[in-house]
Amino acid sequence: MNIQKGTSLFGLNTFGMKATIAQLAKATSLEDVQSILEYQYKNKMPLFILGGGSNILFTKDVEALVLLNRLKGISVREQNEDYVWVEACAGENWHQFVQHCIQQNWGGMENLSLIPGNVGASPMQNIGAYGVEIKDVFHSLEAVRLRDGQVREFSAEECRFGYRESIFKQEEKGNWLISKVTYRLTRKNHVLKTEYGAILSELEKMKITHPDIQSISKAVIQIRQSKLPDPAEIGNAGSFFKNPVIELELLENIKLNHPDCVNYPAGEGKVKLAAGWLIEKAGWKGYRKGDAGVHKNQALVLVNYGHAKGDEIASLADQIIEDILIKFGVKLEKEVNIY
Ligand code: FAD
Ligand code: NAP
């Protein structure tokens, strides 16, 4: 086991934060995980698990042992005529895994193309895009309990998936390392979801009249590349806030001043608002103070133009939350994890 001391976080998080990590250990196998846990118990250090670093804002140095999850491997667990149960280790890159599945003609994850990060974090917030969430294709996961190294499986029900939520962000926060995830994908009769966002118009632009999982993935990749800031060029962690789900009554109030308020049905008596629309309407789109800002094309994304500190981004987020509460009576919640 190789422990690096006092190393930089730069290059390990998509916000481009430069804080220092007290100790860093890379795990490429379950045995590595167990040795790192033993080392942690002996040294009585807090542990922090890092995947691709694309959903975290570091606001200070990490006074912990960081376990860099690089567990690799993809295998078929089971298959029948209709479905394949494919298992991926937590350190596999998400987008490469999705592309691998598409190449095998396994359907269900095409709408989730080009999401940064690793497989292991996909259940953490039940990642979602363009009308699909991983809960739609999830079968089970394997996790290691950090307290004692015990390994067990969690079913979909046990993960308690919700909108950008799971038990691992709530009651079980910080208790488990997700080591493997199994997804159930279609081998034929793929269920295509094209009605969401700009997918249909992108397919039209591509002159695709009979979409398949490959063309949907391409359309999603093109839309994302045209709209979202690339973390390799400008630091960000995707959507900083969740889209708020509110009571219909509050929407009616908002509509008195903003009849064009974007909203989508979200169950009995509830609607989902587009947080990006609220932030843009409140005048924050393109805002910049020092190197911390709100992206000029997508107001839901907070950005680091180069040397912003984590607490400057966090403070900008808090100002936005306060302003949206005053202007619309809606309390935004952060989607990005804050350290
Ligand atoms: P990290 O940032 O490394 O970790 C996130 C949290 O999970 C941390 O608290 C960490 O401790 C914990 N964690 C990570 N791995 C494990 C593990 N194996 N076991 C236990 N805990 C773990 N998200 C979406 O849902 N939909 C999108 O469309 C989307 N688009 C994005 C676009 C951009 C440009 C960016 C930068 C981000 C986007 N995200 C999106 C957010 C992010 O990519 C996902 O949440 C992703 O799953 C995070 O993976 P990661 O490996 O980088 O996690
Ligand atoms: P968009 O297509 O411009 O739509 C704006 C918002 O409206 C989205 O957040 C989406 O909610 C919602 N929406 C659009 N069509 C909808 C429909 N038919 N039914 C219900 N809700 C609808 O969004 P975008 O910013 O370009 O992002 C596209 C997709 O990628 C979205 O699903 C978004 O969540 C995802 N994405 C996520 C992140 C992240 O970091 N979490 C970053 C970038 C993109 P939902 O967000 O609930 O889907």
Side-chain angles (χ1 to χ4, degrees):
M1 183 181 50
N2 176 22
I3 304 269
Q4 290 178 51
K5 294 190 176 166
T7 182
S8 171
L9 261 173
F10 193 68
L12 295 176
N13 71 106
T14 60
F15 247 125
M17 291 300 143
K18 299 183 180 92
T20 301
I21 302 172
Q23 301 200 20
L24 177 76
K26 185 158 90 174
T28 58
S29 64
L30 265 190
E31 291 73 40
D32 285 351
V33 171
Q34 299 291 358
S35 316
I36 293 168
L37 291 183
E38 276 168 32
Y39 174 87
Q40 182 224 349
Y41 305 142
K42 274 194 204 130
N43 290 277
K44 299 190 172 54
M45 294 184 77
L47 185 81
F48 183 84
I49 296 160
L50 189 60
S54 64
N55 200 13
I56 178 110
L57 174 67
F58 291 100
T59 60
K60 55 185 180 214
D61 288 341
V62 186
E63 295 299 338
L65 171 64
V66 173
L67 186 158
L68 194 59
N69 191 327
R70 295 295 181 259
L71 305 173
K72 298 281 182 182
I74 299 174
S75 56
V76 169
R77 212 165 132 168
E78 201 184 318
Q79 57 186 316
N80 62 25
E81 241 180 69
D82 300 314
Y83 298 105
V84 57
W85 284 260
V86 57
E87 179 179 84
C89 291
E92 287 289 340
N93 172 274
W94 176 260
H95 177 64
Q96 284 167 13
F97 171 58
V98 170
Q99 292 308 302
H100 170 79
C101 293
I102 291 170
Q103 275 157 22
Q104 314 298 313
N105 195 33
W106 298 336
M109 300 206 290
E110 50 285 355
N111 294 44
L112 302 176
S113 299
L114 213 63
I115 296 182
N118 293 352
V119 162
S122 65
M124 290 294 296
Q125 70 158 12
N126 178 26
I127 56 168
Y130 301 97
V132 174
E133 296 177 325
I134 70 126
K135 74 170 173 50
D136 304 330
V137 288
F138 179 92
H139 174 264
S140 59
L141 64 77
E142 177 195 272
V144 182
R145 187 156 65 188
L146 300 180
R147 177 157 51 87
D148 56 9
Q150 189 208 323
V151 179
R152 64 157 280 199
E153 278 219 348
F154 283 79
S155 66
E157 200 185 326
E158 288 170 318
C159 291
R160 296 216 219 120
F161 291 123
Y163 174 64
R164 304 289 188 268
E165 277 301 345
S166 76
I167 195 165
F168 303 103
K169 260 188 116 174
Q170 298 292 337
E171 299 94 296
E172 294 296 337
K173 189 176 171 153
N175 292 346
W176 299 89
L177 174 140
I178 296 168
S179 45
K180 273 182 194 165
V181 187
T182 302
Y183 307 88
R184 191 194 73 161
L185 304 174
T186 48
R187 297 186 65 206
K188 58 183 187 187
N189 302 326
H190 304 309
V191 183
L192 306 181
K193 293 207 173 156
T194 55
E195 68 287 352
Y196 209 85
I199 296 187
L200 269 184
S201 56
E202 190 62 38
L203 288 169
E204 252 172 54
K205 257 198 248 163
M206 291 161 61
K207 302 199 183 343
I208 305 278
T209 46
H210 295 90
D212 53 18
I213 58 173
Q214 286 80 8
S215 53
I216 290 177
S217 170
K218 278 196 187 123
V220 167
I221 291 171
Q222 285 187 26
I223 302 167
R224 294 184 74 104
Q225 283 174 337
S226 70
K227 281 182 85 169
L228 288 167
D230 178 355
E233 285 160 20
I234 177 163
N236 76 90
S239 307
F240 203 91
F241 306 98
K242 293 183 193 173
N243 286 326
V245 174
I246 61 162
E247 302 292 326
L248 211 46
E249 210 181 317
L250 179 54
L251 175 68
E252 295 312 325
N253 264 339
I254 296 173
K255 276 187 158 176
L256 295 175
N257 292 324
H258 303 281
D260 54 339
C261 180
V262 175
N263 66 91
Y264 300 92
E268 186 77 35
K270 296 201 186 277
V271 284
K272 181 182 73 180
L273 303 185
W277 185 92
L278 295 170
I279 298 168
E280 184 175 348
K281 273 281 156 181
W284 289 95
K285 195 172 178 178
Y287 172 90
R288 176 170 178 173
K289 186 175 177 201
D291 270 355
V294 178
H295 192 249
K296 61 181 184 352
N297 299 330
Q298 170 52 285
L300 200 47
V301 179
L302 301 192
V303 291
N304 170 15
Y305 286 101
H307 299 287
K309 296 240 162 57
D311 54 5
E312 291 170 329
I313 304 269
S315 144
L316 172 59
D318 289 338
Q319 283 177 57
I320 293 173
I321 291 174
E322 201 182 319
D323 192 43
I324 299 301
L325 186 61
I326 293 168
K327 291 190 170 129
F328 299 97
V330 174
K331 178 125 200 303
L332 291 183
E333 256 183 72
K334 292 170 192 155
E335 180 176 309
V336 170
N337 299 280
I338 311 283
Y339 182 92

